[in-house]
Amino acid sequence: MGYRTINEANEAVIQKIIAAAPFLTDVVPAKSVIPELEDCVLLHAGPPIKYENMTDPMQGSCVGAILFEGWAEDEKSARELLENDKVKFIPCHHVNAVGPMGGITSPNMPVLVVINKESGNEAYCQMNEGIGAVLRFGAYNEQVINRLHWMKDVLGPVLSKALKTFDGGLNVNVLIAKAIAMGDEFHQRNIAASLAFLKELSPVIASLEDVEKEQRTEVIQFLADTDQFFLNIAMATGKAMMDAARTIEHGTVVTAMCRNGENFGIRIAGMGDEWFTAPVNTPQGLYFTGYTAEDANTDIGDSAITETIGVGGMAMIAAPAVTRFVGTGGFNDALEISNQMTEICISENPNFVIPTWDFKGACLGIDARKVVETGITPVINTGIAHKIAGYGQIGAGTVHPPIECFEKAITAYAEKLGFKG
Amino acid sequence: MLYTIIKENTYKDSIVLMLLSNKLSAIDGVNKVSIMMGTPANKDIFKSSGLGTDELEKAKPNDIVIVVDTDQEEKVDEVKEEVEVALKGESESQNTSKGQEAHNWKRAMELANNPNLALISIPGQYAAMEAENALNEGLHVFMFSDNVSKEDEAKLKQKAHEKGLLVMGPDCGTALIHGVPLAFTNNVNEGDIGIVGASGTGIQEVTTIIDRYGKGVTNALGTGGRDLSTEVGAITMLDSIKALNQDPKVKVITVISKPPAEEVQRKVLNVLRNIEKPVVTLFLGDKPSYQEENIYHAYTLEEAAVVSVQLSNGDKPNFEPTTAENVNVLLKDSQVGIKGYYSGGTLATEAAMLVKDAFKDEISEEKKDGYILKTKNHEIIDLGDDVYTQGKPHPMIDPVNRIEMIEKSVKDPKTAVIMIDNVIGNGGHDDMASALAPTIKRILDSARQEGRKLVVLATVVGTAQDFQGYEKQIDILKESGAMICKTNDQMVRTAIQLVGGKVEQPILDVQKFEYTQEDLVVDEKIMSLINMKPSVINIGLKSFTEAVQNSGSECVQFNWRPIAGGDEKLMKVLQFLNYYEGGTI
């Protein structure tokens, strides 16, 4: 199919995103849907990166994943495997997946399965482990590994069974639409969506006859405790939506944003699978007591896929409760940020209507041209990891992609179309 | 010792910064200081004025750069503070009228109410691209910006013509659109004389004289100085003439320009010969040798204005040049020189033309240093020439260069008479008369002490409706000892008479010419531009917005800054993608 102008191509991408029909259908072991995940293969967040260039939390996640998989007995031998290139790394994004923070995903970790019924493609994301010492922030103590095993043995299978009772899975757009009206923006705040999810799942889980009562209680308790559980569902949803949009293969709409602690990477529709990277920034934000900006790790994680679909920082105005937590001056600043984001977006998403924004739809379709033209880069809401593995999250705030990514992307695309500058 | 201060990502217009440079220069203990945006061209200016530093190289086009030359390091902080205060004041005043200001085209088009005109005053290197954007949005364009290539100008005007739009400029200083003043313009009465002019101060001189004769101008369309070049082919002038011809409210059409390329002149005259309304032309620099039945060829600006008034009154053209009264000043034999220090380029050109005509002196043709005329006795300088305005404000808003020139000329014993123009109106200095008066007074005093007479002639280009006040400006200059002339024509002839010369006014026979039929139809969009107050998007200098709004017209301020941070390659990439029509993607 041909498009006469970039605007036409972009419009096709927009329509593809609006039409997306994401359904959460299952939770399965990663290796069962990602054949590349053989033994000694790990997925990581962001554009491709070598182990030695990973920041400490990401390296810590690798150690944790190896211990969880049992490829090594202890940290020392896990590090040896890693340092001697015995572990192969693949970016999550290359295998239909996304991963929060370090994004380290190993073969036996359970992943959420979101199907975009409009295009038939699937996307995967591991489940949220909760807060505190967790693998995604680089912690790998016994408690962390035990939890991962519980998630593999109990949480994953129970949710799988529960989800299968829904004909065709759970319609995620419906959950998002509900939760956005309850003050979530799906990156910093997911409590409403997590509760809406729990509301759908708890009666079903409670009635699962082939699951022991104790396990049913554990699962419901875990979901009730995990405010950010929905974030990972939102991420897989974003990936499923944007991978479908990528099939248009034309135009300047940003189809992925992610970071690996070393580089920020973006993709645009017209350049298919190619990454355009530049060194990441460090988030600005508020810190838990006892921590300062000095302790912050550089920007990391695939979660910026949520901003790619126009929620998260782009929809800051949707979540009054966190407008200050993310380091802005409150509601008016959040309004200004969201208004500013409209200047770099093509359209608005009628599926994600924001009541606090006078019922405007969430921003849709970041146009790399407009980013370069205006110098306005997308706002990403993010957790802040301690730069030393094991401390976990130390704060939250916002971060911007380096503009060079967008400059490189549009230049490459113009050259592809015959620009000779 | 040089100190560099860089303020990242803060864009300010060059005029704002140049005025600030002036202010900073006044700080005691600062030898030299300059504040500019960090564009490659500006960096060269820093270097060439001895303010080049290594840090300077790090500045980007969207950064403000200040380089201070001082022997006292503590002065750097003082400069910094001044800059902060000045820039803060600027942005605070912007905030008060916020809500109606745009930062990009999309927003500007949303805010504006049926906009039909873009007023562009951004740096030349970006102006052509924004003019193209304006045309793509269906807007007529008034380009105040200069430094636009002739090739771009021709391309833009061709495109505009095809779309039924008008491009005034580039380097267009003045226009009145349905009574609304654009850029450097005087507030004149509305009336039935329609003007098309290539030169800014030429239009100002002619419209203000017409105003003083009690007649009016509703539309004065600027074309820019190169419109009549072979490459551009008078596209704007021809469309403008046709539009004024179609307008039933226009009785007389007055055309002002420098002498154009021969084939272009032929083309313009052929169109004019098709027109039934009376026409006055002034190809300033050409001494006319004939008239036509319906076309009066004037020799000077005053003549063009006076004859236009006469024709508008239904009278026969009759122009008698005058000199000022009371010019019987006894000069020493050595005092034979006329010195003209002009802020208006066209006025300077007219002065040079008349002086040359009177003395037929051997003219050194070198045009360098802004000299319009330099003979062994006389000199006429256009201080608005690029030589004087590179990195400095125009002499219409900054008196510094003229004060220097006047003081220097007094040291020359040959100097008999000094001529100064004071162009007031929108965009001009608040009170140029008061800025120049102390210097005039001082040099007249010092000449008197040396036992010689010296004459300072001045003319004020403006009307009673201009905010500086025409009479007030005259009074201040008179008070300082200057002799006031009503027009530039009168001032130059007075000066010439003082040193014993005279300009012969041409006596003209009426000749008849053959002409070919022309299609005089002009696009509806151009007609509606001149038939109602324009709704303007002002891209650049904010003071232009105020002038337009004060005249009761709608104007949206577009606080422009270079797209893509001023990176030229990225700008080209964006232009390529934005206008890509390959059909292959």
Side-chain angles (χ1 to χ4, degrees):
Chain A
M1 192 152 114
Y3 304 98
R4 275 192 316 117
T5 64
I6 309 291
N7 287 348
E8 269 183 26
N10 285 347
E11 189 51 36
V13 175
I14 295 296
Q15 288 313 320
K16 195 83 178 158
I17 301 170
I18 292 175
F23 283 76
L24 175 63
T25 57
D26 207 347
V27 178
V28 298
K31 66 180 180 189
S32 72
V33 284
I34 303 171
E36 292 86 346
L37 270 177
E38 297 164 354
D39 275 359
C40 284
V41 174
L42 292 176
L43 307 182
H44 68 77
I49 185 173
K50 287 183 180 153
Y51 172 76
E52 67 252 39
N53 296 331
M54 290 176 183
T55 57
D56 204 40
M58 202 181 211
Q59 290 188 341
S61 295
C62 297
V63 172
I66 290 170
L67 295 177
F68 163 74
E69 290 290 342
W71 299 336
E73 289 295 314
D74 52 28
E75 182 192 341
K76 189 167 168 283
S77 39
R79 295 261 183 205
E80 273 170 19
L81 283 180
L82 291 161
E83 280 152 16
N84 295 319
D85 289 334
K86 296 284 194 271
V87 177
K88 185 185 165 194
F89 285 99
I90 305 174
C92 296
H93 264 288
H94 290 193
V95 291
N96 305 323
V98 277
M101 300 312 284
I104 300 302
T105 305
S106 66
N108 289 297
M109 286 182 190
V111 291
L112 300 152
V113 179
V114 173
I115 297 179
N116 179 355
K117 291 191 179 171
E118 188 265 337
S119 291
N121 63 308
E122 293 186 0
Y124 317 109
C125 184
Q126 54 188 212
M127 287 186 288
N128 193 285
E129 310 158 73
I131 55 169
V134 286
L135 186 82
R136 68 178 184 280
F137 285 103
Y140 49 82
N141 61 30
E142 201 183 338
Q143 182 201 352
V144 172
I145 304 304
N146 286 344
R147 187 190 306 114
L148 288 176
H149 279 291
W150 175 81
M151 289 170 78
K152 171 175 73 97
D153 298 333
V154 179
L155 180 63
V158 170
L159 286 180
S160 172
K161 281 177 186 162
L163 284 168
K164 281 179 181 152
T165 67
F166 294 89
D167 188 19
L170 265 187
N171 186 329
V172 186
N173 272 356
V174 172
L175 286 174
I176 289 179
K178 279 182 189 170
I180 213 166
M182 293 189 278
D184 277 358
E185 45 63 75
F186 308 100
H187 200 165
Q188 203 59 258
R189 181 179 152 102
N190 281 281
I191 188 165
S194 299
L195 289 175
F197 176 74
L198 178 61
K199 169 181 157 297
E200 297 295 329
L201 270 285
S202 53
V204 179
I205 295 168
S207 64
L208 288 176
E209 285 170 5
D210 55 348
V211 178
E212 283 173 30
K213 180 168 173 275
E214 194 187 332
Q215 291 190 342
R216 283 181 267 158
T217 310
E218 278 174 17
V219 167
I220 288 173
Q221 188 63 53
F222 180 83
L223 293 177
D225 290 343
T226 310
D227 292 351
Q228 288 284 58
F229 191 82
F230 191 82
L231 171 57
N232 302 42
I233 301 174
M235 286 173 62
T237 302
K239 175 71 174 162
M241 287 165 72
M242 295 318 278
D243 274 354
R246 246 159 25 95
T247 60
I248 299 287
E249 293 180 346
H250 300 288
T252 49
V253 172
V254 174
T255 53
M257 295 195 288
C258 61
R259 41 288 197 237
N260 59 25
E262 179 190 26
N263 286 311
F264 199 105
I266 71 160
R267 281 170 165 170
I268 63 169
M271 294 302 293
D273 294 341
E274 193 168 339
W275 291 109
F276 299 94
T277 63
V280 287
N281 295 319
T282 300
Q284 309 277 313
L286 299 177
Y287 290 88
F288 305 150
T289 309
Y291 298 102
T292 68
E294 287 286 288
D295 306 312
N297 195 59
T298 46
D299 191 21
I300 192 168
D302 287 335
S303 56
I305 192 76
T306 56
E307 275 78 11
T308 318
I309 60 168
V311 293
M314 306 288 290
M316 195 81 109
I317 190 62
V322 291
T323 52
R324 300 191 70 173
F325 178 59
V326 293
T328 77
F331 193 79
N332 288 333
D333 281 3
L335 177 62
E336 189 154 335
I337 287 175
S338 283
N339 284 340
Q340 202 182 37
M341 290 302 112
T342 62
E343 295 200 19
I344 55 170
C345 291
I346 291 170
S347 185
E348 52 185 73
N349 193 333
N351 301 322
F352 304 160
V353 172
I354 303 175
T356 42
W357 207 12
D358 204 14
F359 297 92
K360 246 167 92 80
C363 289
L364 177 57
I366 298 169
D367 185 343
R369 288 180 305 178
K370 294 188 181 195
V371 172
V372 175
E373 186 175 308
T374 59
I376 299 170
T377 48
V379 178
I380 294 165
N381 283 351
T382 188
I384 304 174
H386 198 294
K387 63 185 175 190
I388 300 165
Y391 283 84
Q393 186 173 4
I394 56 167
T398 58
V399 71
H400 288 263
I403 196 158
E404 290 82 359
C405 297
F406 301 87
E407 293 172 352
K408 286 179 184 171
I410 62 161
T411 304
Y413 186 46
E415 281 163 2
K416 183 178 155 187
L417 295 180
F419 172 75
K420 289 176 186 68
Chain B
M1 177 87 186
L2 296 179
Y3 300 89
T4 310
I5 307 159
I6 296 178
K7 286 184 66 67
E8 285 182 16
N9 252 323
T10 327
Y11 180 80
K12 288 286 171 210
D13 180 84
S14 60
I15 292 200
V16 170
L17 295 181
M18 287 188 285
L19 289 172
L20 186 52
S21 284
N22 279 2
K23 206 170 150 197
L24 298 175
S25 307
I27 297 176
D28 265 345
V30 170
N31 305 331
K32 212 171 185 185
V33 58
S34 184
I35 173 165
M36 284 191 274
M37 299 305 297
T39 61
N42 285 347
K43 287 181 190 171
D44 288 343
I45 295 174
F46 273 115
K47 279 180 235 157
S48 65
S49 56
L51 294 173
T53 65
D54 291 343
E55 291 107 302
L56 179 67
E57 295 307 320
K58 288 184 214 130
K60 301 202 186 86
N62 265 350
D63 301 340
I64 290 178
V65 191
I66 307 140
V67 181
V68 190
D69 175 8
T70 179
D71 308 323
Q72 299 155 261
E73 199 178 340
E74 66 272 15
K75 291 292 166 189
V76 178
D77 285 332
E78 204 176 314
V79 168
K80 258 190 212 165
E81 267 170 46
E82 279 276 350
V83 170
E84 292 301 332
V85 169
L87 296 183
K88 197 162 160 250
E90 164 89 358
S91 65
E92 270 174 4
S93 69
Q94 280 179 358
N95 281 340
T96 53
S97 58
K98 223 178 166 174
Q100 286 301 307
E101 294 186 5
H103 296 275
N104 59 36
W105 271 106
K106 188 168 154 254
R107 186 79 185 127
M109 292 300 287
E110 281 166 6
L111 285 176
N113 180 19
N114 287 320
N116 64 344
L117 177 66
L119 202 173
I120 300 175
S121 56
I122 58 177
Q125 72 203 94
Y126 312 115
M129 201 158 74
E130 294 303 354
E132 188 172 359
N133 287 335
L135 292 175
N136 286 332
E137 299 285 357
L139 303 178
H140 302 283
V141 174
F142 176 99
M143 280 177 102
F144 180 77
S145 309
D146 55 5
N147 290 316
V148 175
S149 75
K150 212 187 238 185
E151 195 188 351
D152 281 342
E153 177 174 350
K155 221 165 60 188
L156 287 168
K157 287 185 169 173
Q158 194 55 48
K159 179 171 181 157
H161 180 73
E162 280 157 19
K163 299 184 85 151
L165 298 167
L166 204 60
V167 172
M168 292 172 266
D171 202 7
C172 188
T174 303
L176 278 165
I177 304 293
H178 202 77
V180 176
L182 300 181
F184 286 73
T185 310
N186 304 93
N187 292 305
V188 301
N189 287 325
E190 297 196 13
D192 58 13
I193 299 169
I195 295 180
V196 187
S199 76
T201 42
I203 293 179
Q204 291 191 274
E205 174 81 343
V206 171
T207 53
T208 53
I209 296 172
I210 290 171
D211 182 273
R212 256 173 271 146
Y213 277 88
K215 300 298 287 186
V217 178
T218 304
N219 283 297
L221 305 170
T223 66
R226 292 182 311 208
D227 189 65
L228 275 69
S229 65
T230 313
E231 294 88 334
V232 183
I235 296 175
T236 298
M237 177 156 283
L238 294 174
D239 278 344
S240 301
I241 291 169
K242 290 175 188 176
L244 294 173
N245 182 50
Q246 295 261 307
D247 185 348
K249 292 190 288 296
V250 172
K251 212 163 142 188
V252 181
I253 299 172
T254 306
V255 175
I256 310 165
S257 159
K258 292 196 179 107
E262 207 187 318
E263 71 276 16
V264 179
Q265 186 158 9
R266 216 178 301 130
K267 200 153 85 177
V268 172
L269 284 172
N270 194 61
V271 170
L272 291 175
R273 284 166 191 153
N274 272 268
I275 285 175
E276 285 174 17
K277 293 179 183 181
V279 173
V280 178
T281 67
L282 171 63
F283 296 115
L284 192 69
D286 266 359
K287 195 159 189 175
S289 55
Y290 62 87
Q291 300 292 357
E292 302 181 40
E293 272 180 349
N294 218 24
I295 305 175
Y296 183 94
H297 297 301
Y299 178 42
T300 64
L301 293 161
E302 184 184 350
E303 183 182 5
V306 168
V307 171
S308 299
V309 168
Q310 289 164 342
L311 289 168
S312 147
N313 285 332
D315 298 337
K316 269 189 73 127
N318 175 25
F319 174 70
E320 277 297 327
T322 55
T323 55
E325 293 161 24
N326 304 321
V327 288
N328 297 320
V329 178
L330 204 60
L331 297 165
K332 292 193 170 184
D333 290 347
S334 59
Q335 286 182 281
V336 290
I338 299 172
K339 306 280 163 78
Y341 303 117
Y342 278 91
S343 64
T346 303
L347 301 178
T349 304
E350 182 177 62
M353 173 186 85
L354 292 171
V355 172
K356 207 164 135 183
D357 197 353
F359 298 105
K360 313 267 181 321
D361 263 317
E362 268 180 43
I363 310 300
S364 67
E365 283 301 329
E366 48 177 348
K367 284 234 167 176
K368 67 172 196 195
D369 295 342
Y371 282 105
I372 304 287
L373 180 85
K374 187 174 168 62
T375 75
K376 63 182 194 310
N377 295 332
H378 315 298
E379 61 181 37
I380 309 287
I381 302 181
D382 171 17
L383 288 167
D385 190 279
D386 286 356
V387 187
Y388 299 100
T389 56
Q390 278 273 320
K392 274 194 172 159
H394 194 275
M396 259 186 231
I397 48 177
D398 179 11
V400 170
N401 276 338
R402 282 212 280 178
I403 288 172
E404 242 172 58
M405 287 288 174
I406 293 169
E407 282 176 343
K408 211 170 84 188
S409 72
V410 177
K411 295 191 186 108
D412 178 356
K414 274 197 298 207
T415 304
V417 49
I418 296 169
M419 303 188 295
I420 300 160
D421 61 339
N422 178 10
V423 183
I424 62 172
N426 299 302
H429 191 285
D430 287 354
D431 185 2
M432 185 58 88
S434 295
L436 296 174
T439 309
I440 296 171
K441 202 165 179 309
R442 192 164 56 245
I443 60 152
L444 289 176
D445 284 348
S446 73
R448 204 171 299 128
Q449 278 162 19
E450 288 166 21
R452 67 186 164 121
K453 293 258 165 42
L454 195 63
V455 180
V456 175
L457 298 176
T459 184
V460 178
V461 178
T463 73
Q465 298 167 57
D466 286 325
F467 75 94
Q468 298 93 341
Y470 180 68
E471 291 297 335
K472 203 176 130 200
Q473 291 287 298
I474 285 180
D475 289 346
I476 294 165
L477 289 170
K478 245 188 206 162
E479 181 74 15
S480 74
M483 184 181 292
I484 308 301
C485 297
K486 291 197 190 77
T487 66
N488 187 52
D489 188 333
Q490 190 191 43
M491 175 163 77
V492 184
R493 289 181 204 259
T494 303
I496 290 168
Q497 186 181 318
L498 267 165
V499 294
K502 188 166 179 2
V503 183
E504 292 301 333
Q505 183 68 7
I507 300 163
L508 310 169
D509 311 328
V510 174
Q511 291 188 15
K512 224 178 137 108
F513 289 86
E514 293 293 317
Y515 60 91
T516 54
Q517 288 294 317
E518 286 275 349
D519 180 5
L520 295 176
V521 175
V522 69
D523 196 281
E524 262 314 299
K525 288 194 280 291
I526 296 180
M527 291 317 294
S528 61
L529 174 71
I530 67 169
N531 279 325
M532 58 179 111
K533 288 196 174 195
S535 174
V536 181
I537 292 179
N538 180 47
I539 305 149
L541 277 179
K542 206 175 157 172
S543 57
F544 290 170
T545 287
E546 286 153 18
V548 173
Q549 285 170 341
N550 288 344
S551 70
S553 204
E554 291 194 59
C555 189
V556 167
Q557 172 66 18
F558 178 168
N559 287 322
W560 181 93
R561 54 191 285 172
I563 62 164
D567 183 312
E568 295 201 14
K569 179 174 179 204
L570 289 170
M571 289 166 91
K572 283 183 188 147
V573 166
L574 284 168
Q575 204 74 353
F576 174 86
L577 291 174
N578 289 342
Y579 297 106
Y580 182 79
E581 274 190 27
T584 51
I585 59 168

